[in-house]
Amino acid sequence: MRKLGKKQLTLHLQKRLDALPDALAAHRLTAAADGSEIIYTYDTQGERTGITALLKDLNLAGIRFRDCTHRQTSLEDIFVDW
């Protein structure tokens, strides 16, 4: 399960975004439909999660968040996606 599992970091933004800046494209983010959240999916088994680089790039882009949550893939999610 650890090898197949992923985690999602959801950043709750201070201001809604109409679109994600091109400078963040390398992070393969997903934005909520209303632009109030950014979701970053990462591999917990990777050498690096990329969270530090994401936070740096968000800061450089002037995007601020007020809170964050995380979610780990459940066993059911793994079997449904498989």
Side-chain angles (χ1 to χ4, degrees):
M1 184 167 149
R2 281 190 177 145
K3 289 182 181 181
L4 297 174
K6 303 280 184 194
K7 281 193 175 184
Q8 288 185 330
L9 175 67
T10 301
L11 301 171
H12 307 278
L13 304 176
Q14 287 183 351
K15 295 180 182 177
R16 295 179 193 275
L17 291 178
D18 293 328
L20 290 170
D22 291 338
L24 300 176
H27 299 287
R28 291 182 250 131
L29 301 171
T30 305
D34 66 355
S36 66
E37 298 174 347
I38 294 175
I39 302 166
Y40 176 60
T41 303
Y42 61 98
D43 181 2
T44 59
Q45 298 300 308
E47 185 176 320
R48 297 179 183 211
T49 62
I51 293 173
T52 303
L54 171 63
L55 295 177
K56 177 184 161 220
D57 289 346
L58 287 170
N59 186 45
L60 291 173
I63 298 173
R64 306 287 181 255
F65 60 96
R66 59 182 167 77
D67 198 6
C68 65
T69 57
H70 68 87
R71 175 182 178 272
Q72 186 166 349
T73 307
S74 70
L75 188 57
E76 180 182 357
D77 293 334
I78 291 170
F79 283 114
V80 169
D81 289 342
W82 206 42

